[in-house]
Structures are given as structure tokens and as C-alpha cells.
Amino acid sequence: MVAERHDTADVVRSAMDALQPLAAAKSIVLVAHLPPKPVMAHYDPHRLQQVLSNLIDNAIKFTPEGGLIRIRTLRTGSECRVAVSDTGIGIPVDKLNAIFEYFHHVERTDRTGLGLGLYIARWIVKAHGGRIWVTSRVGGGSTFYFTLPAD
């Protein structure tokens, strides 16, 4: 991992550009809310792109056609916070912590992936000195957050 000083908006734009065609295929709107001033952090852009791409890709998978996905960055004290919010199906409260475990799927019949994306995302965020978590309501969408130490 090669962490260097970057504006978090750069990796948000890159991940959104890569996944825009997938979102457009489901008529899902991707919107970025980025502050006017840079929110700087030390991170490996390739690894953080992997985290954001996974979060946005999951949001697209679990958001019905015509939905909305918002990506926000902001500085909160000594941290940079990134949030990916969707208007998707949501996650049951008893599954919120388990989804970050190795090979986990919310439903046993859910085979939309290997069940490694969020596990790997958590590992990458922790390796950068940050944390990752989710809030959700079944039928009301989810918001995934992660932090990085601010620069």
C-alpha cells in the first residue's frame, strides 16, 4: 500500500466515472456532494478506489430502477468522512455488523457476489487508519460510511 496525500474528491469522481454506465443501465442517478475546499487525506488511490467502487457497485445492485445514490465527503475534526447513501432495499438491523464478515451474504439465496467485497473494504479502510460502518432501514435504503485520518 502506497499512501500519499490526495483530495478525497479525486477518488470519488474516479469511482463514479467508472460506475456511471452501470448506474445508467438501471436509470439510477449518481450524485456527488463535495465540499468547495479539498478534503485531504493520506491514502493509496488504487485501494480507496476499490473500497468506493465496491460500495457504489453494491448500492447499484440493491437499488431499484430509477433510484438515487449520493456520495458525500467532508472533514469532521481530525477525520475525512465519505458516505455512500442509496434508496435501495435496506439491510435488516441484525445483519448490519455481519455484512463485513468473510463470505457473508444478507440472504442465503443472495449470490450476487462472493461475499468478500465489504470484508476487503473493511480491511483496506483499517489499513489506512480509518473505520467503516453502515446505517440502514429495510425498505428505506442504506448509508455506508468510512473515515480516513485527515491531513
Side-chain angles (χ1 to χ4, degrees):
M1 182 175 83
V2 179
E4 296 177 351
R5 188 173 190 258
H6 300 279
D7 182 359
T8 54
D10 295 339
V11 74
V12 168
R13 287 186 195 103
S14 179
M16 286 180 62
D17 288 347
L19 291 164
Q20 182 60 46
L22 191 60
K26 285 183 71 178
S27 300
I28 293 173
V29 176
L30 293 180
V31 177
H33 296 278
L34 304 172
K37 292 185 179 180
V39 178
M40 304 302 289
H42 268 82
Y43 62 87
D44 179 327
H46 299 293
R47 293 292 150 242
L48 213 58
Q49 170 96 16
Q50 189 176 358
V51 171
L52 264 172
S53 293
N54 179 269
L55 296 178
I56 296 168
D57 183 58
N58 282 348
I60 293 168
K61 284 179 192 173
F62 296 107
T63 297
E65 194 166 314
L68 174 66
I69 298 169
R70 296 179 191 270
I71 301 100
R72 292 182 172 92
T73 65
L74 64 123
R75 183 172 176 142
T76 59
S78 63
E79 294 181 322
C80 298
R81 182 181 296 173
V82 179
V84 177
S85 301
D86 64 54
T87 55
I89 61 173
I91 304 163
V93 71
D94 63 325
K95 305 285 186 188
L96 292 179
N97 290 324
I99 62 173
F100 293 100
E101 294 174 5
Y102 197 63
F103 291 127
H104 184 79
H105 291 94
V106 173
E107 300 294 332
R108 290 187 190 274
T109 58
D110 173 17
R111 293 293 173 238
T112 56
L114 296 173
L116 292 173
L118 292 175
Y119 173 80
I120 292 168
R122 181 179 67 176
W123 183 87
I124 291 169
V125 169
K126 281 186 173 187
H128 281 81
R131 55 198 171 93
I132 188 168
W133 70 98
V134 61
T135 60
S136 187
R137 186 171 51 86
V138 173
S142 302
T143 301
F144 284 81
Y145 301 91
F146 69 89
T147 63
L148 300 168
D151 189 29

